[in-house]
Amino acid sequence: MNSPTPSASPSAPAVLAALSPALPGADMTLTKLDSALLNILVKDGRASFADIARQLGISRAHARARVQALQASGVIEMFGAVINPEKLGQVVSTFLDIQVAPVALETVAQELADCHEVVSLYIMSDLRSLHVHALTDSVPSFEAFARRHLFNRPEILSVDCKTLLTRVKNRRGGARL
C-alpha cells in the first residue's frame, strides 16, 4: 500500500510551484479537490494514494503531489492514530475552565500540558483562562490529579470543572472541511 507519508523528494518545490502558486503563502486557499482529499484523509489517514486517486477521479501521481503540497504548505501537520480512550480504561472525561493570574498563565499552562492526564489545553482570548480536557481512569484518579496540580496554588484563581456524561457528536480525526 502506498501511504501518504512525508517524502524527501528533491522535486517537491517544483511540484508545489506547478500545482498551486497559492501554496507557499501562509494564507492558502483550498480548492474543492484539496477539501475532498483532506476529508478522505480525515476519515482514513492511512488511505493509499491509489485509493485517494480512485475516490477523486485523478491519477495516483496527482494525489501524491497534492498530499505532499498540503504537507509542505503546513495544511497537513501530521498523520497519526486516533485512540479511543475508553478502550484504554480512560473513562472519566473532565473539562476544566481555569482562571489564572495573567502573570502565571504560560507557566501554569505548560505545567498542566506536561501532565499525562491532560489531552488538550488552550489559552483563551481573555489571556487569563485555560480550557483543559483531562482523561482519567476513575473519579479518584481525577481527584488526585486536581490535588497535585490545581489545589492550593495562589496563581490559580478559580476552577470550573465539568465531567462528561454523554458524547452526542465527536469530531474524530480533526476538522471537517
PDB file of all heavy atoms in Angstrom, residues 4 9 11-12 14-20 23 33-34 37 49 52 58-73 76:
ATOM      1  N   PRO A   4       0.244   7.957   2.377  1.00  0.00           N
ATOM      2  CA  PRO A   4       0.691   9.333   2.247  1.00  0.00           C
ATOM      3  C   PRO A   4       1.600   9.725   3.391  1.00  0.00           C
ATOM      4  O   PRO A   4       1.170  10.261   4.381  1.00  0.00           O
ATOM      5  CB  PRO A   4      -0.621  10.129   2.257  1.00  0.00           C
ATOM      6  CG  PRO A   4      -1.616   9.251   2.909  1.00  0.00           C
ATOM      7  CD  PRO A   4      -1.156   7.845   2.703  1.00  0.00           C
ATOM      8  N   SER A   9      11.557  13.987  -1.394  1.00  0.00           N
ATOM      9  CA  SER A   9      11.724  14.104  -2.831  1.00  0.00           C
ATOM     10  C   SER A   9      12.371  15.436  -3.191  1.00  0.00           C
ATOM     11  O   SER A   9      11.917  16.481  -2.755  1.00  0.00           O
ATOM     12  CB  SER A   9      10.353  14.001  -3.499  1.00  0.00           C
ATOM     13  OG  SER A   9      10.456  14.365  -4.853  1.00  0.00           O
ATOM     14  N   SER A  11      12.178  16.944  -5.899  1.00  0.00           N
ATOM     15  CA  SER A  11      11.347  17.717  -6.807  1.00  0.00           C
ATOM     16  C   SER A  11      10.132  18.338  -6.117  1.00  0.00           C
ATOM     17  O   SER A  11       9.288  18.905  -6.776  1.00  0.00           O
ATOM     18  CB  SER A  11      10.880  16.831  -7.957  1.00  0.00           C
ATOM     19  OG  SER A  11      10.070  15.785  -7.448  1.00  0.00           O
ATOM     20  N   ALA A  12      10.032  18.234  -4.790  1.00  0.00           N
ATOM     21  CA  ALA A  12       8.867  18.771  -4.075  1.00  0.00           C
ATOM     22  C   ALA A  12       8.647  20.259  -4.332  1.00  0.00           C
ATOM     23  O   ALA A  12       7.517  20.669  -4.591  1.00  0.00           O
ATOM     24  CB  ALA A  12       8.971  18.485  -2.581  1.00  0.00           C
ATOM     25  N   ALA A  14       9.364  21.988  -6.967  1.00  0.00           N
ATOM     26  CA  ALA A  14       8.863  22.113  -8.333  1.00  0.00           C
ATOM     27  C   ALA A  14       7.409  21.673  -8.417  1.00  0.00           C
ATOM     28  O   ALA A  14       6.597  22.298  -9.102  1.00  0.00           O
ATOM     29  CB  ALA A  14       9.728  21.292  -9.284  1.00  0.00           C
ATOM     30  N   VAL A  15       7.078  20.602  -7.692  1.00  0.00           N
ATOM     31  CA  VAL A  15       5.700  20.116  -7.665  1.00  0.00           C
ATOM     32  C   VAL A  15       4.797  21.178  -7.063  1.00  0.00           C
ATOM     33  O   VAL A  15       3.736  21.484  -7.582  1.00  0.00           O
ATOM     34  CB  VAL A  15       5.598  18.788  -6.864  1.00  0.00           C
ATOM     35  CG1 VAL A  15       4.160  18.414  -6.602  1.00  0.00           C
ATOM     36  CG2 VAL A  15       6.317  17.686  -7.607  1.00  0.00           C
ATOM     37  N   LEU A  16       5.232  21.785  -5.963  1.00  0.00           N
ATOM     38  CA  LEU A  16       4.438  22.819  -5.310  1.00  0.00           C
ATOM     39  C   LEU A  16       4.186  23.990  -6.241  1.00  0.00           C
ATOM     40  O   LEU A  16       3.066  24.472  -6.369  1.00  0.00           O
ATOM     41  CB  LEU A  16       5.145  23.334  -4.049  1.00  0.00           C
ATOM     42  CG  LEU A  16       5.151  22.425  -2.845  1.00  0.00           C
ATOM     43  CD1 LEU A  16       6.015  23.030  -1.750  1.00  0.00           C
ATOM     44  CD2 LEU A  16       3.753  22.193  -2.355  1.00  0.00           C
ATOM     45  N   ALA A  17       5.219  24.467  -6.879  1.00  0.00           N
ATOM     46  CA  ALA A  17       5.089  25.629  -7.759  1.00  0.00           C
ATOM     47  C   ALA A  17       4.174  25.317  -8.938  1.00  0.00           C
ATOM     48  O   ALA A  17       3.375  26.150  -9.348  1.00  0.00           O
ATOM     49  CB  ALA A  17       6.461  26.072  -8.245  1.00  0.00           C
ATOM     50  N   ALA A  18       4.285  24.124  -9.469  1.00  0.00           N
ATOM     51  CA  ALA A  18       3.488  23.769 -10.633  1.00  0.00           C
ATOM     52  C   ALA A  18       2.017  23.580 -10.295  1.00  0.00           C
ATOM     53  O   ALA A  18       1.148  23.879 -11.103  1.00  0.00           O
ATOM     54  CB  ALA A  18       4.036  22.483 -11.262  1.00  0.00           C
ATOM     55  N   LEU A  19       1.732  23.088  -9.089  1.00  0.00           N
ATOM     56  CA  LEU A  19       0.355  22.756  -8.748  1.00  0.00           C
ATOM     57  C   LEU A  19      -0.461  23.945  -8.279  1.00  0.00           C
ATOM     58  O   LEU A  19      -1.630  24.057  -8.589  1.00  0.00           O
ATOM     59  CB  LEU A  19       0.330  21.665  -7.676  1.00  0.00           C
ATOM     60  CG  LEU A  19       0.766  20.304  -8.163  1.00  0.00           C
ATOM     61  CD1 LEU A  19       0.820  19.336  -7.016  1.00  0.00           C
ATOM     62  CD2 LEU A  19      -0.174  19.800  -9.235  1.00  0.00           C
ATOM     63  N   SER A  20       0.112  24.814  -7.489  1.00  0.00           N
ATOM     64  CA  SER A  20      -0.663  25.910  -6.957  1.00  0.00           C
ATOM     65  C   SER A  20       0.241  27.029  -6.487  1.00  0.00           C
ATOM     66  O   SER A  20       0.927  26.885  -5.488  1.00  0.00           O
ATOM     67  CB  SER A  20      -1.526  25.429  -5.794  1.00  0.00           C
ATOM     68  OG  SER A  20      -2.214  26.509  -5.229  1.00  0.00           O
ATOM     69  N   LEU A  23       0.121  28.001  -2.666  1.00  0.00           N
ATOM     70  CA  LEU A  23       0.563  27.146  -1.573  1.00  0.00           C
ATOM     71  C   LEU A  23       1.693  27.702  -0.714  1.00  0.00           C
ATOM     72  O   LEU A  23       1.628  27.568   0.498  1.00  0.00           O
ATOM     73  CB  LEU A  23       0.963  25.764  -2.094  1.00  0.00           C
ATOM     74  CG  LEU A  23      -0.185  24.854  -2.468  1.00  0.00           C
ATOM     75  CD1 LEU A  23       0.362  23.546  -3.011  1.00  0.00           C
ATOM     76  CD2 LEU A  23      -1.100  24.597  -1.311  1.00  0.00           C
ATOM     77  N   LEU A  33     -10.887  20.172  -4.782  1.00  0.00           N
ATOM     78  CA  LEU A  33     -10.135  18.919  -4.798  1.00  0.00           C
ATOM     79  C   LEU A  33      -9.369  18.745  -3.479  1.00  0.00           C
ATOM     80  O   LEU A  33      -9.389  17.671  -2.877  1.00  0.00           O
ATOM     81  CB  LEU A  33      -9.169  18.879  -5.978  1.00  0.00           C
ATOM     82  CG  LEU A  33      -8.254  17.653  -6.042  1.00  0.00           C
ATOM     83  CD1 LEU A  33      -9.065  16.404  -6.352  1.00  0.00           C
ATOM     84  CD2 LEU A  33      -7.164  17.854  -7.070  1.00  0.00           C
ATOM     85  N   ASP A  34      -8.697  19.823  -3.026  1.00  0.00           N
ATOM     86  CA  ASP A  34      -7.959  19.755  -1.763  1.00  0.00           C
ATOM     87  C   ASP A  34      -8.892  19.419  -0.608  1.00  0.00           C
ATOM     88  O   ASP A  34      -8.579  18.585   0.242  1.00  0.00           O
ATOM     89  CB  ASP A  34      -7.249  21.077  -1.470  1.00  0.00           C
ATOM     90  CG  ASP A  34      -6.124  21.387  -2.434  1.00  0.00           C
ATOM     91  OD1 ASP A  34      -5.509  20.448  -2.965  1.00  0.00           O
ATOM     92  OD2 ASP A  34      -5.860  22.587  -2.644  1.00  0.00           O
ATOM     93  N   LEU A  37      -9.905  15.820  -0.783  1.00  0.00           N
ATOM     94  CA  LEU A  37      -8.753  14.991  -0.413  1.00  0.00           C
ATOM     95  C   LEU A  37      -8.561  14.998   1.107  1.00  0.00           C
ATOM     96  O   LEU A  37      -8.370  13.950   1.731  1.00  0.00           O
ATOM     97  CB  LEU A  37      -7.503  15.519  -1.111  1.00  0.00           C
ATOM     98  CG  LEU A  37      -6.235  14.695  -0.957  1.00  0.00           C
ATOM     99  CD1 LEU A  37      -5.376  14.868  -2.188  1.00  0.00           C
ATOM    100  CD2 LEU A  37      -5.464  15.086   0.269  1.00  0.00           C
ATOM    101  N   PHE A  49      -2.442   6.394  -1.847  1.00  0.00           N
ATOM    102  CA  PHE A  49      -2.582   7.357  -2.937  1.00  0.00           C
ATOM    103  C   PHE A  49      -3.508   6.797  -4.011  1.00  0.00           C
ATOM    104  O   PHE A  49      -4.285   7.534  -4.614  1.00  0.00           O
ATOM    105  CB  PHE A  49      -1.219   7.720  -3.531  1.00  0.00           C
ATOM    106  CG  PHE A  49      -0.328   8.451  -2.553  1.00  0.00           C
ATOM    107  CD1 PHE A  49       0.953   7.987  -2.280  1.00  0.00           C
ATOM    108  CD2 PHE A  49      -0.755   9.592  -1.913  1.00  0.00           C
ATOM    109  CE1 PHE A  49       1.770   8.650  -1.388  1.00  0.00           C
ATOM    110  CE2 PHE A  49       0.056  10.277  -1.017  1.00  0.00           C
ATOM    111  CZ  PHE A  49       1.331   9.801  -0.756  1.00  0.00           C
ATOM    112  N   ILE A  52      -7.086   7.266  -2.780  1.00  0.00           N
ATOM    113  CA  ILE A  52      -7.446   8.688  -2.880  1.00  0.00           C
ATOM    114  C   ILE A  52      -7.724   9.037  -4.341  1.00  0.00           C
ATOM    115  O   ILE A  52      -8.728   9.677  -4.654  1.00  0.00           O
ATOM    116  CB  ILE A  52      -6.316   9.576  -2.302  1.00  0.00           C
ATOM    117  CG1 ILE A  52      -6.192   9.352  -0.787  1.00  0.00           C
ATOM    118  CG2 ILE A  52      -6.571  11.049  -2.618  1.00  0.00           C
ATOM    119  CD1 ILE A  52      -4.931   9.959  -0.174  1.00  0.00           C
ATOM    120  N   ILE A  58      -8.725  11.154 -10.050  1.00  0.00           N
ATOM    121  CA  ILE A  58      -7.461  11.748 -10.517  1.00  0.00           C
ATOM    122  C   ILE A  58      -6.411  10.648 -10.560  1.00  0.00           C
ATOM    123  O   ILE A  58      -6.645   9.529 -10.111  1.00  0.00           O
ATOM    124  CB  ILE A  58      -6.991  12.908  -9.592  1.00  0.00           C
ATOM    125  CG1 ILE A  58      -6.769  12.398  -8.155  1.00  0.00           C
ATOM    126  CG2 ILE A  58      -7.998  14.057  -9.616  1.00  0.00           C
ATOM    127  CD1 ILE A  58      -6.208  13.450  -7.188  1.00  0.00           C
ATOM    128  N   SER A  59      -5.236  10.974 -11.077  1.00  0.00           N
ATOM    129  CA  SER A  59      -4.178   9.965 -11.131  1.00  0.00           C
ATOM    130  C   SER A  59      -3.541   9.799  -9.749  1.00  0.00           C
ATOM    131  O   SER A  59      -3.608  10.690  -8.895  1.00  0.00           O
ATOM    132  CB  SER A  59      -3.099  10.382 -12.130  1.00  0.00           C
ATOM    133  OG  SER A  59      -2.355  11.484 -11.619  1.00  0.00           O
ATOM    134  N   ARG A  60      -2.907   8.651  -9.550  1.00  0.00           N
ATOM    135  CA  ARG A  60      -2.196   8.376  -8.306  1.00  0.00           C
ATOM    136  C   ARG A  60      -1.084   9.405  -8.097  1.00  0.00           C
ATOM    137  O   ARG A  60      -0.859   9.896  -6.994  1.00  0.00           O
ATOM    138  CB  ARG A  60      -1.622   6.955  -8.352  1.00  0.00           C
ATOM    139  CG  ARG A  60      -0.959   6.527  -7.078  1.00  0.00           C
ATOM    140  CD  ARG A  60      -0.280   5.152  -7.282  1.00  0.00           C
ATOM    141  NE  ARG A  60       0.788   4.971  -6.345  1.00  0.00           N
ATOM    142  CZ  ARG A  60       1.967   5.591  -6.364  1.00  0.00           C
ATOM    143  NH1 ARG A  60       2.255   6.439  -7.302  1.00  0.00           N
ATOM    144  NH2 ARG A  60       2.869   5.351  -5.441  1.00  0.00           N
ATOM    145  N   ALA A  61      -0.385   9.764  -9.162  1.00  0.00           N
ATOM    146  CA  ALA A  61       0.700  10.746  -9.069  1.00  0.00           C
ATOM    147  C   ALA A  61       0.163  12.111  -8.651  1.00  0.00           C
ATOM    148  O   ALA A  61       0.781  12.814  -7.838  1.00  0.00           O
ATOM    149  CB  ALA A  61       1.428  10.851 -10.404  1.00  0.00           C
ATOM    150  N   HIS A  62      -1.007  12.480  -9.171  1.00  0.00           N
ATOM    151  CA  HIS A  62      -1.603  13.763  -8.797  1.00  0.00           C
ATOM    152  C   HIS A  62      -2.023  13.736  -7.324  1.00  0.00           C
ATOM    153  O   HIS A  62      -1.822  14.717  -6.595  1.00  0.00           O
ATOM    154  CB  HIS A  62      -2.794  14.079  -9.703  1.00  0.00           C
ATOM    155  CG  HIS A  62      -3.322  15.470  -9.555  1.00  0.00           C
ATOM    156  ND1 HIS A  62      -4.415  15.913 -10.228  1.00  0.00           N
ATOM    157  CD2 HIS A  62      -2.917  16.525  -8.810  1.00  0.00           C
ATOM    158  CE1 HIS A  62      -4.659  17.165  -9.905  1.00  0.00           C
ATOM    159  NE2 HIS A  62      -3.767  17.562  -9.036  1.00  0.00           N
ATOM    160  N   ALA A  63      -2.592  12.632  -6.870  1.00  0.00           N
ATOM    161  CA  ALA A  63      -2.986  12.505  -5.462  1.00  0.00           C
ATOM    162  C   ALA A  63      -1.755  12.655  -4.565  1.00  0.00           C
ATOM    163  O   ALA A  63      -1.781  13.381  -3.558  1.00  0.00           O
ATOM    164  CB  ALA A  63      -3.674  11.166  -5.214  1.00  0.00           C
ATOM    165  N   ARG A  64      -0.674  11.972  -4.939  1.00  0.00           N
ATOM    166  CA  ARG A  64       0.566  12.043  -4.162  1.00  0.00           C
ATOM    167  C   ARG A  64       1.097  13.476  -4.132  1.00  0.00           C
ATOM    168  O   ARG A  64       1.476  13.996  -3.083  1.00  0.00           O
ATOM    169  CB  ARG A  64       1.612  11.107  -4.756  1.00  0.00           C
ATOM    170  CG  ARG A  64       2.933  11.111  -4.038  1.00  0.00           C
ATOM    171  CD  ARG A  64       3.881  10.062  -4.684  1.00  0.00           C
ATOM    172  NE  ARG A  64       5.144  10.062  -4.043  1.00  0.00           N
ATOM    173  CZ  ARG A  64       6.195  10.791  -4.442  1.00  0.00           C
ATOM    174  NH1 ARG A  64       6.095  11.580  -5.495  1.00  0.00           N
ATOM    175  NH2 ARG A  64       7.327  10.730  -3.797  1.00  0.00           N
ATOM    176  N   ALA A  65       1.097  14.134  -5.277  1.00  0.00           N
ATOM    177  CA  ALA A  65       1.598  15.512  -5.358  1.00  0.00           C
ATOM    178  C   ALA A  65       0.752  16.457  -4.517  1.00  0.00           C
ATOM    179  O   ALA A  65       1.285  17.344  -3.833  1.00  0.00           O
ATOM    180  CB  ALA A  65       1.624  15.970  -6.815  1.00  0.00           C
ATOM    181  N   ARG A  66      -0.581  16.271  -4.512  1.00  0.00           N
ATOM    182  CA  ARG A  66      -1.457  17.148  -3.711  1.00  0.00           C
ATOM    183  C   ARG A  66      -1.207  16.933  -2.221  1.00  0.00           C
ATOM    184  O   ARG A  66      -1.148  17.890  -1.456  1.00  0.00           O
ATOM    185  CB  ARG A  66      -2.929  16.904  -4.031  1.00  0.00           C
ATOM    186  CG  ARG A  66      -3.387  17.357  -5.395  1.00  0.00           C
ATOM    187  CD  ARG A  66      -3.001  18.774  -5.771  1.00  0.00           C
ATOM    188  NE  ARG A  66      -3.396  19.778  -4.810  1.00  0.00           N
ATOM    189  CZ  ARG A  66      -2.775  20.954  -4.657  1.00  0.00           C
ATOM    190  NH1 ARG A  66      -1.745  21.272  -5.402  1.00  0.00           N
ATOM    191  NH2 ARG A  66      -3.193  21.815  -3.762  1.00  0.00           N
ATOM    192  N   VAL A  67      -1.073  15.681  -1.790  1.00  0.00           N
ATOM    193  CA  VAL A  67      -0.806  15.410  -0.371  1.00  0.00           C
ATOM    194  C   VAL A  67       0.525  16.046   0.023  1.00  0.00           C
ATOM    195  O   VAL A  67       0.634  16.711   1.057  1.00  0.00           O
ATOM    196  CB  VAL A  67      -0.817  13.896  -0.063  1.00  0.00           C
ATOM    197  CG1 VAL A  67      -0.281  13.615   1.334  1.00  0.00           C
ATOM    198  CG2 VAL A  67      -2.226  13.340  -0.218  1.00  0.00           C
ATOM    199  N   GLN A  68       1.551  15.871  -0.799  1.00  0.00           N
ATOM    200  CA  GLN A  68       2.856  16.466  -0.496  1.00  0.00           C
ATOM    201  C   GLN A  68       2.779  17.986  -0.458  1.00  0.00           C
ATOM    202  O   GLN A  68       3.395  18.628   0.393  1.00  0.00           O
ATOM    203  CB  GLN A  68       3.902  16.011  -1.516  1.00  0.00           C
ATOM    204  CG  GLN A  68       4.288  14.560  -1.344  1.00  0.00           C
ATOM    205  CD  GLN A  68       5.281  14.101  -2.398  1.00  0.00           C
ATOM    206  OE1 GLN A  68       5.304  14.604  -3.509  1.00  0.00           O
ATOM    207  NE2 GLN A  68       6.097  13.124  -2.027  1.00  0.00           N
ATOM    208  N   ALA A  69       2.026  18.584  -1.368  1.00  0.00           N
ATOM    209  CA  ALA A  69       1.873  20.039  -1.386  1.00  0.00           C
ATOM    210  C   ALA A  69       1.155  20.522  -0.125  1.00  0.00           C
ATOM    211  O   ALA A  69       1.536  21.538   0.470  1.00  0.00           O
ATOM    212  CB  ALA A  69       1.111  20.476  -2.639  1.00  0.00           C
ATOM    213  N   LEU A  70       0.137  19.793   0.297  1.00  0.00           N
ATOM    214  CA  LEU A  70      -0.592  20.168   1.515  1.00  0.00           C
ATOM    215  C   LEU A  70       0.287  20.013   2.755  1.00  0.00           C
ATOM    216  O   LEU A  70       0.188  20.803   3.695  1.00  0.00           O
ATOM    217  CB  LEU A  70      -1.880  19.347   1.626  1.00  0.00           C
ATOM    218  CG  LEU A  70      -2.947  19.691   0.584  1.00  0.00           C
ATOM    219  CD1 LEU A  70      -4.019  18.614   0.526  1.00  0.00           C
ATOM    220  CD2 LEU A  70      -3.550  21.059   0.850  1.00  0.00           C
ATOM    221  N   GLN A  71       1.164  19.013   2.751  1.00  0.00           N
ATOM    222  CA  GLN A  71       2.117  18.860   3.849  1.00  0.00           C
ATOM    223  C   GLN A  71       3.127  20.005   3.844  1.00  0.00           C
ATOM    224  O   GLN A  71       3.403  20.605   4.879  1.00  0.00           O
ATOM    225  CB  GLN A  71       2.855  17.528   3.748  1.00  0.00           C
ATOM    226  CG  GLN A  71       2.013  16.339   4.119  1.00  0.00           C
ATOM    227  CD  GLN A  71       2.801  15.056   3.944  1.00  0.00           C
ATOM    228  OE1 GLN A  71       3.139  14.670   2.835  1.00  0.00           O
ATOM    229  NE2 GLN A  71       3.097  14.412   5.047  1.00  0.00           N
ATOM    230  N   ALA A  72       3.687  20.287   2.683  1.00  0.00           N
ATOM    231  CA  ALA A  72       4.715  21.323   2.573  1.00  0.00           C
ATOM    232  C   ALA A  72       4.174  22.696   2.956  1.00  0.00           C
ATOM    233  O   ALA A  72       4.893  23.522   3.511  1.00  0.00           O
ATOM    234  CB  ALA A  72       5.287  21.348   1.154  1.00  0.00           C
ATOM    235  N   SER A  73       2.895  22.942   2.682  1.00  0.00           N
ATOM    236  CA  SER A  73       2.300  24.241   2.998  1.00  0.00           C
ATOM    237  C   SER A  73       1.879  24.330   4.463  1.00  0.00           C
ATOM    238  O   SER A  73       1.501  25.398   4.925  1.00  0.00           O
ATOM    239  CB  SER A  73       1.086  24.492   2.103  1.00  0.00           C
ATOM    240  OG  SER A  73       0.035  23.604   2.460  1.00  0.00           O
ATOM    241  N   ILE A  76      -1.511  20.062   6.175  1.00  0.00           N
ATOM    242  CA  ILE A  76      -1.435  18.759   6.848  1.00  0.00           C
ATOM    243  C   ILE A  76      -0.215  18.828   7.752  1.00  0.00           C
ATOM    244  O   ILE A  76       0.911  18.934   7.284  1.00  0.00           O
ATOM    245  CB  ILE A  76      -1.295  17.587   5.851  1.00  0.00           C
ATOM    246  CG1 ILE A  76      -2.531  17.482   4.964  1.00  0.00           C
ATOM    247  CG2 ILE A  76      -1.068  16.266   6.611  1.00  0.00           C
ATOM    248  CD1 ILE A  76      -2.422  16.427   3.873  1.00  0.00           C
TER     249      ILE A  76
END
